[in-house]
Every structure is written in C-alpha cells, then in structure tokens.
C-alpha cells in the first residue's frame, strides 16, 4: 500500500519562512564548488521559491537590523574600513539603496542629484538626506548606516597586484569567523583554514572569476552550515556564548527545534564606480522541525548530513551532533 | 540625422549595451574632437570606474574609446577622438558624428583602474593618451587623493589642457618636446614618495619607454599601469563548426557567438550557471577534435586530454569538433 501526499496542499499551508527559504542542495551529497549563478534568478523549490531580489526583506527585517545595531554597540570591531575603501563604501550606498527602492517601491525611495541624496524607508519610518563622500552626513558613518538598512552582512575586497584583499566590511552575523581578524588579508589567506578547497583549486577559480567580473555585474552563490537556535551572531568573538552547546545538543530532546540549517546567500558584486568587489552575505536560519515539514527536504538534509566527509563536518563545527540530526530527519 | 545613425545590425562587441544620442560635438584641437552622448530619454547612465572605455559602433566596425569623466553618477558619456587618416575608419566615422545621431555603445568596461590604496597617482600622457588619465585626475580631485600629471603634447595640439590645469594646478607639468619631457620624467621617477602608482597612456613606443625607465629605476611591477584596450575581454575567436553525434546535426559557431549560445539557438538545453567558464555546469563531452580551452574550471591535465569542454567560453582549434550530444 502506498500513501499519496497532496504536495500542493502541503506547501500552500507552509509559513513564509519555509516557502522563501533558499534550500541549498541539488543532490543528496555536498561538496564545495564554485557554484555561482547570475543574481536575481528565481529558483523554484519543493516549498516555494527564492532569489528574485538582490536585497531580500523578510519578516525578520526590523529585528535583524536592531540586533545588528546592538552587536555594533557592544563590539565596534565588527566594522572595518581601511582608509582607501571609503569610495567603495559610498559606491555601495549609491548602488544598494536605489536597488532596494526599486524592489520595494511602496515602502522605500531614493533620489539623487549630484552628490545630494534623499532616502526614505517607510518600514523604519525613516527619512534622511546625505551627501555622497561626506562621512559626517550619516550618523555613525556611511557603512554603519548602510548596515542599518539591509539584513545582509557586507565584505569589501580591493583588487590589486592581480589579487583580492579584504579591506573593509560590516559583519555582525558571521558563521564562526572574525572580520577584525581577516581584514587586510588576501582572499587566499582568508580561505586557508577551509579543508579541501585549496587542493581542489576552488579558491583560485573563484578568485579568477571575481578578478574578471566587470563593473556592474552581479552574481550569487549559497553556502551552508548548522547553528543551534536562531542565533545570527556566531562570530569568533562570541565563541564562548554559543560553542559549548555543540557538545550537548545531540542528547537534547529539543534538537529538531533547536538545530537550524544556516544558509548564506552570498551576492558577488563588482561595484560600478569604485571597481571594488562587494560580498553581500544574507543569513537564513530554518529549524530542522521546519525542514521536516517538506518531505523532500527532510530526506535530502538527512542524507547530506550523514554522508558529509568528516573533515568538512569538523570544519563546519557540526561533527558532534550531525549524526543525531540526520538520524532524526531520516527516522520514518 | 545623418547616414551614420541607427545601424541595422548590432555589432557583437556592443550587444547588450546602450543606444545613445549625440548631444554635443566640440573641437578640442585641429585633429581631436570631443563627442558627448546621452540617453535619449534623459535617464542616468551606468556609473563607471575611472579609466574605463566604451566600445562605439560605426558602420560594420566598432572601436574602443576612453571615457573622460570621473564616472560618478553620469548623465553623459564623453570621449575624445584623434583623427587618424588611413585607419580602419573608426576615428573618421567618429569625427563625422553630429548632434542628434544615435549610436550603439557597449556598457563601460574597466581595464585601467586607479589603485585604491595609492599614496599618490603619477599620471603620464602623450597626445590623445590624456583621455583616460583625465578621468583618473577627476576621480582623484573628487576624493581628495594626491595626483600629478606630466602631459606631453605638440604646441597647439593639446586636448583638455584647460581642464587639466584646473584639476591639477601645480601638479600639472606640460611638455612640448622630447627633451623637456625626458628631463621631467627622470626627475619625477626618482623623487616619488613611497606608495606612488604610475599610470601611462599614449603611443605604444612612448608607453614602453616610460615603463622601461621606471623599471630600470627600481619601480616594482605592481606600481606600474598602462592602458591596454580590451584586456578584460575574451576575444571573439574564430568561427568553427560542431557535429552533434547523437542528434545527427551540424551547427556553425560564428566569431563572437559562443558555442553555448549556438546550441541554445538550435533548441538544445544545456545546463549552465555562470556563462563565464568558472562554474563547470555547461561541461560537454568531446568525441573528436581539439577544443580551444578558455575556461578556468578544467585542470591543465583535463584540458590536455581534450575530452571535455566548457561550451560557454571555449572554442575550437580545429575547424570542426564532434560532441556527444
């Protein structure tokens, strides 16, 4: 006897956080690859779709930007701007705010005359005027301001000597890394700790791709890990706050609700005027209990976690509980 | 409107670009003319990186010209063109453009960007080579970066001289003959502060000479920049044909059109993501013939085996390839 599930009826009832989740796997095993594709391409999933916008705004918008502000108040080192990256930061403002206004015409608008700009954000009941190039015209400085308008983290790379260098950024929701530590490093050095990717030349290929991006071009890729609870700030700086739970979660009956699949949608943008490379990193967290509401996802995530090679699981920090997670997902 | 408007076919080099209207033509010198383009509906144009160039179509050809603005929030693109008698025809066609003409142009492409972390920008130009470094000088002025310019031109043949004087003030040195230029160059090359980047544009022999002297005086390669049109682009390549073994059809791949595009036009659906030779999605099996590998995905060994190719960027060394399709 077989049970026929009415898929349409199941997905129609799913909440937005599941329907719009950027499910990252295309098969039942996962390896690193330079999985880039043009931005704004809509991807259909078993639950719905994602990817139609450059800057996604969802139900967490106000709470995410509020949390970012609190992190920055506690730890200003999450913003780094080497002096030569000032034009790149302003270029990002002049690029992202108009894009956001275009994607959300009912709640946002951007007007520019010369270097004088006016930004309205109805979701925040905010209207500001500022001058491109004048850091004092935006409270807290241009990068902090931009970080208060989008949910994405930002990393800026400068291109010189045929290489890319991480020379600025605002990263409050890092997945176990530190912007302050990496600032000033080369693209290759930043990826040094990631297993397999140097040997497989994935980093070289990715860097070559970025070096050849023309101004104005926008691509994207996804990356993933697991995080316990819906915790956005898992940076190295706050390691003691979140890391110990990785040793106890396997035996926690609340594991399906607490363990979250953490997916980053990373946009790779060559800024049009400064020529700097901007990485936007938008973090999505969905609990395994939510994942399991989509039968195909439940199966794929279970198998990916079970099959993942140990060095990759170790690097992702999930080796002590990935079996418990996959066992729960694959239990029928 | 003159006969040079609206070409019937769009040149591959400007495909996906813009259709702009000539809004001003001004004489810089007896042989150099500046041409300004705008969007016909008055929309802002894409910003560009200082030192970028624009490919402009004329007749059946297309030429690249440096943009002279800073690239910040532009409403117009301006190029300055030297009339070259006996050339392929691009410069003469540009000199015939009149206000109201419409031209197909590419999006601006960057191949001569300023170094963001330079402590000082030493700009060196001869003749029409002023155009990209003028763009650099404007950007430096807008962001308060230190810049100086040695501008070498024949008396009466200097383009944009007044603007250069206004932008650079004491930072501008004008030279009218080889002897005085050589003197200034030697002095500048030996007295720069640490962290100065050098940018040179002009005739090939002029650029080679400046770069060679700089290297001889100990300038590291990473501080030296010269304008090279089209360096960021893959060339359009030679035409070739493909024989699709399983489908039993044969297709011609013209110059400037990728194998992937050719297959798509023929109704073949090929999985692909980046279309830039990086992601590896559009891999095809080669049964016969040697591909001209231009991707970044395959290893050197895989490329040597010639059994796989990335159809988004790679072409053929042989006249025909046979594919497992």
């Amino acid at each position: 006897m077989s049970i026929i599930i009415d898929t349409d009826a199941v997905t129609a009832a799913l909440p937005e956080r599941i329907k719009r989740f950027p499910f990252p796997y295309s098969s039942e095993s996962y390896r690193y690859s330079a999985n880039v594709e043009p931005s704004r391409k809509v991807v259909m999933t078993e639950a719905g779709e994602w990817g139609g916008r450059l800057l996604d705004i969802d139900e967490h918008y106000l709470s995410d930007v509020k949390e970012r502000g609190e992190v920055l108040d506690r730890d200003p080192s999450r913003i780094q701007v080497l002096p030569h990256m000032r034009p790149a930061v302003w270029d990002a403002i002049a690029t992202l705010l108009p894009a956001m206004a275009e994607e959300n015409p009912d709640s946002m608008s951007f007007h520019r005359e010369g270097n004088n700009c006016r930004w309205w954000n109805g979701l925040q009941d905010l209207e500001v005027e500022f001058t491109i190039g004048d850091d004092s015209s935006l409270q807290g400085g241009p990068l902090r301001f931009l970080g208060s308008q989008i949910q994405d983290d930002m990393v800026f790379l400068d291109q010189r000597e045929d290489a890319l260098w991480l020379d600025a950024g605002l990263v409050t929701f890092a997945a176990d890394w530190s912007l302050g530590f990496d600032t000033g490093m080369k693209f290759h050095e930043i990826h040094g700790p990631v297993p397999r990717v140097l040997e497989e030349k994935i980093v070289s290929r990715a860097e070559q791709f970025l070096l050849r991006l023309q101004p104005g071009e926008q691509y994207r890729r996804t990356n993933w890990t697991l995080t316990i609870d819906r915790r956005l700030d898992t940076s190295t700086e706050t390691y003691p706050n979140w890391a110990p739970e990785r040793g106890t979660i396997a035996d926690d009956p609340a594991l399906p609700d607490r363990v979250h699949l953490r997916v980053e949608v990373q946009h790779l943008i060559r800024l049009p005027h400064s020529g700097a490379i901007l990485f936007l990193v938008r973090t999505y967290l969905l609990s395994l209990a939510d994942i399991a509401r989509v039968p195909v996802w439940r199966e794929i995530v279970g198998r990916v976690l079970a099959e993942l090679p140990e060095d990759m699981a170790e690097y992702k920090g999930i080796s002590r509980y990935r079996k418990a997670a996959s066992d729960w997902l694959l239990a029928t | 409107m003159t006969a040079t408007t609206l070409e019937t076919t769009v040149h591959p080099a400007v495909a996906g670009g813009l259709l702009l209207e000539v809004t001003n033509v001004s004489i810089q010198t007896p042989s150099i003319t500046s041409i300004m383009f705008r969007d016909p509906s008055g929309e802002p144009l894409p910003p560009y990186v200082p030192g970028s160039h624009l490919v402009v179509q004329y007749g059946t050809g297309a030429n690249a010209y440096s943009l002279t603005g800073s690239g910040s929030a532009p409403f117009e693109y301006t190029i300055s063109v030297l009339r070259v008698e006996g050339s392929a025809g691009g410069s003469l066609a540009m000199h015939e453009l009149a206000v109201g003409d419409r031209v197909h142009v590419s999006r601006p492409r960057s191949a001569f960007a300023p170094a963001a972390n330079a402590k000082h920008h030493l700009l060196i130009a001869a003749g029409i080579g002023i155009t990209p470094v003028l763009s650099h000088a404007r950007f430096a002025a807008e962001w308060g970066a230190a810049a100086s310019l040695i501008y070498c031109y024949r008396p009466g043949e200097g383009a944009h001289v007044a603007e250069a004087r206004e932008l650079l003030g004491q930072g501008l040195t004008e030279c009218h003959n080889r002897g005085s230029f050589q003197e200034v160059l030697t002095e500048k090359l030996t007295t720069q502060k640490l962290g100065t980047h050098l940018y040179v544009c002009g005739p090939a022999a002029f650029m080679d000479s400046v770069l060679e002297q700089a290297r001889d005086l100990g300038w590291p390669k990473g501080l030296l920049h010269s304008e090279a049109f089209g360096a960021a682009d893959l060339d359009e390549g030679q035409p070739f044909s493909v024989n699709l073994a399983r489908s039993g059809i044969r297709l011609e791949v013209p110059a400037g059109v990728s194998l992937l595009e050719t297959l798509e036009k023929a109704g073949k659906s090929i999985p692909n993501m980046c279309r830039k030779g990086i992601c590896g999605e559009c891999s095809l099996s080669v049964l016969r013939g040697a591909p001209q590998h231009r991707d970044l995905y395959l290893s050197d060994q895989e490329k040597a085996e010639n059994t796989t190719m990335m159809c988004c960027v790679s072409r053929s060394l042989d006249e025909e390839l046979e594919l497992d399709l």
Side-chain angles (χ1 to χ4, degrees):
Chain A
M1 182 191 136
S2 66
I3 299 167
I4 295 163
I5 299 170
D6 182 346
T7 317
D8 289 345
V10 172
T11 55
L14 293 173
E16 288 289 305
R17 66 176 181 276
I18 301 179
K19 283 190 196 170
R20 296 173 54 172
F21 188 69
F23 191 72
Y25 312 112
S26 51
S27 71
E28 293 183 354
S29 65
Y30 175 84
R31 296 293 182 275
Y32 294 116
S33 68
N35 54 331
V36 287
E37 63 185 344
S39 67
R40 293 190 172 106
K41 187 175 142 186
V42 176
V43 178
M44 306 301 291
T45 70
E46 298 292 336
E49 62 177 59
W50 66 276
R53 292 174 178 198
L54 177 66
L55 294 149
D56 188 26
I57 295 174
D58 65 14
E59 64 191 284
H60 302 292
Y61 177 66
L62 292 176
S63 60
D64 281 4
V65 295
K66 179 165 175 282
E67 184 173 343
R68 168 170 293 138
E70 290 162 1
V71 172
L72 291 172
D73 286 342
R74 283 195 301 272
D75 182 1
S77 80
R78 309 295 186 88
I79 293 186
Q80 300 282 337
V81 183
L82 297 185
H84 65 271
M85 297 305 277
R86 279 186 55 241
V89 169
W90 282 108
D91 200 7
I93 290 180
T95 304
L96 299 186
L97 294 185
M100 223 171 147
E102 203 172 300
E103 289 173 347
N104 305 276
D106 296 340
S107 52
M108 292 168 186
S109 71
F110 178 83
H111 294 283
R112 174 173 182 172
E113 267 179 50
N115 283 331
N116 298 321
C117 304
R118 196 171 70 246
W119 169 246
W120 169 67
N121 180 340
L123 300 180
Q124 296 187 7
D125 197 17
L126 171 79
E127 186 155 15
V128 288
E129 291 185 10
F130 58 88
T131 306
I132 301 277
D134 178 1
D135 286 14
S136 67
S137 66
L138 282 170
Q139 209 178 0
L143 190 50
R144 175 150 188 178
F145 172 75
L146 186 53
S148 74
Q149 301 303 299
I150 65 176
Q151 283 171 270
D152 305 57
D153 279 332
M154 288 171 276
V155 175
F156 294 79
L157 303 174
D158 182 34
Q159 177 169 342
R160 58 178 186 270
E161 296 159 32
D162 292 325
L164 296 170
W165 307 72
L166 196 173
D167 285 347
L170 187 171
V171 179
T172 50
F173 306 147
D176 201 0
W177 66 284
S178 160
L179 176 73
F181 185 77
D182 283 358
T183 300
M185 282 191 189
K186 275 184 172 181
F187 190 76
H188 260 246
E189 295 169 320
I190 293 162
H191 294 90
V194 188
R196 294 164 184 251
V197 293
L198 291 178
E199 296 86 326
E200 294 175 12
K201 296 201 175 155
I202 290 168
V203 175
S204 305
R205 285 213 306 273
E207 186 173 41
Q208 284 301 316
F209 172 72
L210 292 171
L211 288 170
R212 288 173 192 214
L213 270 190
Q214 273 294 321
E217 288 191 315
Q218 303 179 350
Y219 285 78
R220 72 166 183 230
R221 67 184 293 268
T222 58
N223 195 12
W224 70 275
T225 186
L226 299 179
T227 292
I228 298 163
D229 300 329
R230 194 182 178 279
R231 185 189 288 274
L232 287 166
D233 178 11
T234 52
S235 60
T236 317
E237 288 86 345
T238 54
Y239 187 84
N241 299 346
W242 52 266
E245 290 169 336
R246 302 190 302 195
T248 54
I249 191 71
D251 299 321
D252 189 336
L255 176 142
D257 291 311
R258 295 196 62 199
V259 171
H260 285 63
L261 180 60
R262 180 188 191 100
V263 175
E264 292 179 354
V265 175
Q266 305 176 348
H267 279 94
L268 324 169
I269 300 170
R270 173 78 78 173
L271 291 169
H273 182 40
S274 63
I277 299 276
L278 170 62
F279 263 62
L280 292 175
V281 184
R282 175 65 196 283
T283 299
Y284 297 83
L285 290 158
L286 195 64
S287 72
L288 296 189
D290 276 344
I291 294 280
R293 292 169 70 177
V294 184
V296 177
W297 288 7
R298 175 183 190 127
E299 174 100 9
I300 291 178
V301 178
R303 293 195 188 281
V304 165
L305 291 178
E307 193 276 342
L308 195 70
E310 186 54 28
D311 58 343
M312 291 172 73
E314 183 65 33
Y315 173 72
K316 288 182 184 289
I318 63 174
S319 53
R320 282 175 291 178
Y321 64 94
R322 58 133 161 184
K323 185 173 184 309
S326 68
D327 285 351
W328 181 80
L329 287 165
L330 296 176
T332 48
Chain B
M1 300 273 271
T2 71
T4 50
T5 55
L6 275 176
E7 309 301 339
T8 45
T9 53
V10 177
H11 192 278
V14 300
L18 310 159
L19 179 64
L20 301 184
E21 185 172 304
V22 176
T23 54
N24 193 30
V25 173
S26 61
I27 307 300
Q28 286 281 341
T29 76
S31 61
I32 297 175
T33 296
S34 288
I35 305 146
M36 182 186 283
F37 305 100
R38 281 181 177 249
D39 182 284
S41 54
E43 291 296 302
L45 297 171
Y48 57 91
V49 178
S52 289
H53 63 268
L54 199 64
V55 180
V56 184
Q57 177 168 358
Y58 66 93
T60 55
N63 262 9
Y65 300 99
S66 294
L67 289 157
T68 58
S70 78
S72 170
F75 273 86
E76 74 271 337
Y77 290 158
T78 304
I79 59 172
S80 291
V81 182
L82 172 69
R83 183 198 305 272
V84 185
E85 305 293 344
S87 69
S91 76
L92 299 181
M94 292 304 122
H95 278 252
E96 281 168 16
L97 286 173
V99 170
D101 286 353
R102 292 195 175 184
V103 288
H104 290 284
V105 306
S106 68
R107 287 177 173 269
R109 295 187 69 88
S110 171
F112 188 53
N117 68 337
K119 294 279 186 284
H120 187 96
H121 302 270
L122 175 60
L123 310 169
I124 303 173
I128 192 65
I130 186 68
T131 51
V133 302
L134 187 69
S135 170
H136 281 216
R138 286 193 210 281
F139 184 70
E142 282 177 10
W143 287 93
S148 53
L149 167 61
I150 314 174
Y151 184 14
C152 192
Y153 60 91
R154 290 198 197 96
E157 282 290 331
H160 301 287
V161 173
E163 289 156 285
R165 287 177 185 156
E166 194 186 325
L167 281 167
L168 293 143
Q170 295 294 310
L172 173 67
T173 310
E174 295 169 57
C175 303
H176 302 301
N177 63 64
R178 202 172 287 181
S180 69
F181 171 70
Q182 188 53 54
E183 212 170 287
V184 174
L185 179 66
T186 308
E187 197 260 329
K188 295 284 184 193
L189 288 180
T190 49
T191 55
Q192 293 304 313
K193 285 181 288 191
L194 215 57
T196 297
H197 281 247
L198 180 156
Y199 310 81
V200 60
C201 187
F206 173 83
M207 292 197 290
D208 290 346
S209 159
V210 169
L211 294 172
E212 190 184 330
Q213 292 183 56
R215 281 191 298 264
D216 287 349
L217 287 166
W219 284 64
K221 191 168 157 277
L223 300 179
L224 304 177
H225 311 272
S226 56
E227 167 67 310
F229 278 143
D233 250 335
L234 285 173
D235 68 60
E236 59 180 34
Q238 296 296 317
F240 63 101
S241 42
V242 287
N243 188 22
L244 309 185
R246 275 186 282 134
S247 325
I249 54 173
R250 195 184 138 92
L251 298 170
E252 301 298 327
V253 185
V257 180
S258 74
L259 173 55
L260 175 59
E261 289 165 323
T262 305
L263 292 168
E264 285 175 338
K265 272 185 203 150
K268 296 281 169 195
S269 162
I270 312 290
N272 70 86
M273 279 176 78
C274 73
R275 301 176 85 97
K276 290 223 163 200
I278 168 84
C279 74
E281 282 288 311
C282 70
S283 154
L284 294 181
S285 292
V286 179
L287 301 174
R288 189 169 48 79
Q292 179 192 11
H293 297 287
R294 309 206 291 186
D295 63 278
L296 298 159
Y297 180 79
L298 297 173
S299 67
D300 291 345
Q301 192 188 332
E302 287 168 320
K303 285 178 182 172
E305 286 166 5
N306 283 338
T307 53
T308 306
M309 74 182 291
M310 297 301 141
C311 64
C312 61
V313 293
S314 295
R315 306 189 66 83
S316 180
L317 294 172
D318 295 325
E319 279 177 18
E320 184 183 286
L321 291 178
E322 186 162 285
L323 303 173
D324 186 16
L325 255 183

